[in-house]
């Protein structure tokens, strides 16, 4: 009852539960009925195909049987022993005996023959072979005679005709096949042979095939044009004429609707729903029917439907349980929200819960809380405004005014105790500002302000406010009896704040602390001092907590630049490519930077970067090849890095790159000399006076020095190189020009033919004439 009362009191929960439950019930029932409907359609379609296959097989059997009988009838009708029996007016006894023997042998050789009859129109007599025909006193003979000679029914020849020889209830026990000497319907004025085929040959084999292939057994019937039904067994339920008329009407209506010779129709047969599959004209003017009980046919479907409903019922019970559980899970956050909002109401205030559901109650609570929040937010904005005013424009207020405002707005600042201002600055602020969107910046500022105030307030009275977006200010009040050691307790709290912000927001904070402030009017001075101390992150690195004592010497240092000797030695070391000496001078410079006042550090570091840049520019002006780095980037390093350590590492890497990028000057000079010499040879190879001495004179070097330099570098003498160039040009002229050998010799700088021939043969293995002849032949 308690659970029902809880459910009854929750209108929104009722809606959620009823919606989920109704959806599950609809889905389950729809799924169950859809499955059984589709299954029933599938079974009917499969059964229709199966039945049509059976009837098609039956049609094929009739056609096959008709073909066999046609061949048999042809030979029988032409049999010389049977011709006298058909046409003679008087039949000798021996001919009669021979004819009967012939008919017996035909019957024995054909297992599918039921009997055989010969009609002699001259004698108006019928001769048969079966025992009933001969021994029943003429009953069978009369039945055959009446059927054959019935003037109201003209029998087609060479066609299978269903007949009843022994039954009176419409059962078919044979198929008659009338054979005459013409293709016209049989008449009394002509002789004929009638072959009777066993009906079991068709009906029983088809019934066995159907019983094997399907458990939905039915009855195979044959209907004539008037709708009378025949079967190889007792008609049973189909014996009544009204039932036969109903079946006939079903088939005729379906034929008219579909204009197809075969198909299936569902209707009531003798009060029972049945499926009737039919195929018209397997035998001319006859229809084959296959009648099945619809209930028996759909027994498995009905069983499946019952099982499906049972399963749906079980699933419905499970769905009810899941619905209750899921509804409560979905409702649980709303219930929690109601509990959280409800306590905000005064105890004497009654909510109008009967006027709506839980969402209505929450909306009323929300409106009330929103109004209250607006009032609190306005008060919060005013409080933060005055705190910022105390820090930035403290001189505007008197001590009395500040105390009055603190009391009026309930600021968590204690007086007359000392106060310390803490500035928490974001490290890597330039990168943070350029990669973080505005909404995330506001969230981080709000989080840092509240987390820092909450953690510090556990030990000291504290107010926090965010200023300019890059730093948060804490105003921490000390106890009246605070000692220096108690002052030191703030540092672990600040470290904990730094760790918390780094853990949850992946942000790094540095902190600057002011000296204790005795007067509230000095808060702005304390803020300036704390902010100034926080800037010394450039020396102490990220996540540092900096007090005035730590930067006392920096603030007192009047030096604004490093000695010029350090800059000069650094420049000379870079020009000489001496990385060790350059590193020593760079380390000296940064050791001095760490003692400078904050405002002088960046200026001094920037000056040093310009010194390095000017040195690089000078080096590059005196080099043939340029260095592989961007010179304009050098003086930007101090602006992009925030600490001396980062700047030192960047400049040290730059100096290393400068030293490694330089080659020894003599190596570079030698390369330039060799390139000049080679260029001279390529330009003046045709000059007869070109030699090592003339080239050495041109480049202002001694012949011996130039020869040694060329030999060491190219692994061949200068004269050999000159000859090599001249002979290559001679080779080209021999191959492509019509000049004589002497002209070629002169064009290539040779004056002595024998000397030219000797050099050419030594290089190419043949004289110039032989070389030209070989090339022309090839």
């Amino acid at each position: 009852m308690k659970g029902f009362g809880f459910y009854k009191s929750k209108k929104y929960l009722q809606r959620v539960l009823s919606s989920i439950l109704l959806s599950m019930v609809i889905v389950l029932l729809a799924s169950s009925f859809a499955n059984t409907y589709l299954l029933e359609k599938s079974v009917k379609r499969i059964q229709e195909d199966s039945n049509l296959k059976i009837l098609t097989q039956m049609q094929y059997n009739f056609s096959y049987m008709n073909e066999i009988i046609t061949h048999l009838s042809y030979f029988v009708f032409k049999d010389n022993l049977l011709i006298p029996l058909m046409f003679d007016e008087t039949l000798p006894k021996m001919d009669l005996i021979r004819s009967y023997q012939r008919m017996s042998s035909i019957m024995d050789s054909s297992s599918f023959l039921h009997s055989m009859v010969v009609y002699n129109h001259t004698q108006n007599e019928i001769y048969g072979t079966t025992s009933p025909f001969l021994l029943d006193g003429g009953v069978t003979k009369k039945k055959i005679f009446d059927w054959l000679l019935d003037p109201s029914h003209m029998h087609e020849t060479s066609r299978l005709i269903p007949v009843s020889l022994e039954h009176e209830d419409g059962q078919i026990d044979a198929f008659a096949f009338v054979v005459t000497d013409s293709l016209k319907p049989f008449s009394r004025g002509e002789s004929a042979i009638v072959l009777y085929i066993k009906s079991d040959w068709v009906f029983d084999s088809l019934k066995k095939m159907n019983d094997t292939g399907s458990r939905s057994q039915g009855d195979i019937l044959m209907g004539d044009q008037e709708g009378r039904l025949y079967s190889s067994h007792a008609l049973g339920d189909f014996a009544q004429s009204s039932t036969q008329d109903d079946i006939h009407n079903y088939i005729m209506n379906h034929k008219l609707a579909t204009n197809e010779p075969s198909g299936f129709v569902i209707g009531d047969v003798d009060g029972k729903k049945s499926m009737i599959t039919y195929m018209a004209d397997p035998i001319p003017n006859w229809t084959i029917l296959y009648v099945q009980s619809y209930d028996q046919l759909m027994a498995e479907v009905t069983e499946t439907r019952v099982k499906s409903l049972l399963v749906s019922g079980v699933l419905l019970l499970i769905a009810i349980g899941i619905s209750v559980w899921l509804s409560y899970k979905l409702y649980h956050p709303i219930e929690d929200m109601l509990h959280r909002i409800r306590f905000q109401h005064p105890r004497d205030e009654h909510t109008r819960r009967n006027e709506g559901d839980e969402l209505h109650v929450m909306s009323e609570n929300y409106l009330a809380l929103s109004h209250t929040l607006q009032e609190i937010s306005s008060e919060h904005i005013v409080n933060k405004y005055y705190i910022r005013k105390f820090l930035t424009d403290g001189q505007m207020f008197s001590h009395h005014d500040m105390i009055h405002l603190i009391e009026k707005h309930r600021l968590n600042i204690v007086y007359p105790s000392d106060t310390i201002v803490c500035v928490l600055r974001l490290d890597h602020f330039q990168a943070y500002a350029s990669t973080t969107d505005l909404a995330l910046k506001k969230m981080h500022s709000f989080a840092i302000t509240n987390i820092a105030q909450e953690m510090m307030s556990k030990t000291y009275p504290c107010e926090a406010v965010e200023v300019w977006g890059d730093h948060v200010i804490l105003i921490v009040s000390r106890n009246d009896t605070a000692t220096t050691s108690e002052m030191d307790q703030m540092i672990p709290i600040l470290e904990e704040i730094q760790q918390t912000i780094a853990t949850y927001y992946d942000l790094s904070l540095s902190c600057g602390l002011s000296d204790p402030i005795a007067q509230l009017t000095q808060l702005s001075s304390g803020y300036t001092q704390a902010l100034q101390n926080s800037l010394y992150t450039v020396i102490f690195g990220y996540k540092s907590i900096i007090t005035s004592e730590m930067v006392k010497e920096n603030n007192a240092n009047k030096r604004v630049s490093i000695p010029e000797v350090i800059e000069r030695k650094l420049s000379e070391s870079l020009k000489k490519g001496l990385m060790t000496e350059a590193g020593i001078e760079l380390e000296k410079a940064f050791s001095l930077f760490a003692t400078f006042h904050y405002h002088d550090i960046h200026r001094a570091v920037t000056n040093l970067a310009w010194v390095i840049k000017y040195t690089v520019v000078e080096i590059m002006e005196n080099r043939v090849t340029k260095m592989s780095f961007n010179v304009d980037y050098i003086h930007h390093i101090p602006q992009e890095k925030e600490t001396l350590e980062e700047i030192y590492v960047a400049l040290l890497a730059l100096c290393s790159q400068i030293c490694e990028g330089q080659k020894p000057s003599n190596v570079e000079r030698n390369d330039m000399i060799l390139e000049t010499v080679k260029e001279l040879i390529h330009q003046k190879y045709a000059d007869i006076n070109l030699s090592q001495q003339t080239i050495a004179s041109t480049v202002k070097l001694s012949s011996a020095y130039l020869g040694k330099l060329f030999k060491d570098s190219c692994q061949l003498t200068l004269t050999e190189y000159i000859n090599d160039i001249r002979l290559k040009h001679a080779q080209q002229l021999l191959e492509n020009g019509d000049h004589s050998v002497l002209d070629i010799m002169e064009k290539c700088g040779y004056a002595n033919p024998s000397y030219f021939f000797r050099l050419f043969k030594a290089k190419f293995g043949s004289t110039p004439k032989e070389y030209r002849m070989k090339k022309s032949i090839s």
Side-chain angles (χ1 to χ4, degrees), residues 208-228:
K208 289 178 182 178
M209 180 178 66
N210 179 53
D211 293 345
T212 303
S214 174
R215 289 180 291 172
S216 302
Q217 300 176 10
D219 296 293
I220 297 178
L221 306 172
M222 294 194 70
D224 58 15
Q225 290 179 313
E226 288 76 20
R228 289 189 295 272

Side-chain angles (χ1 to χ4, degrees), residues 26 107 180 220 326 328 408 421 424 432 451 541 578 587 661:
I26 292 174
M107 290 290 299
T180 64
I220 297 178
L326 183 59
Y328 184 74
K408 178 181 178 180
V421 179
L424 298 173
Y432 170 82
I451 291 173
L578 303 176
E587 186 176 357

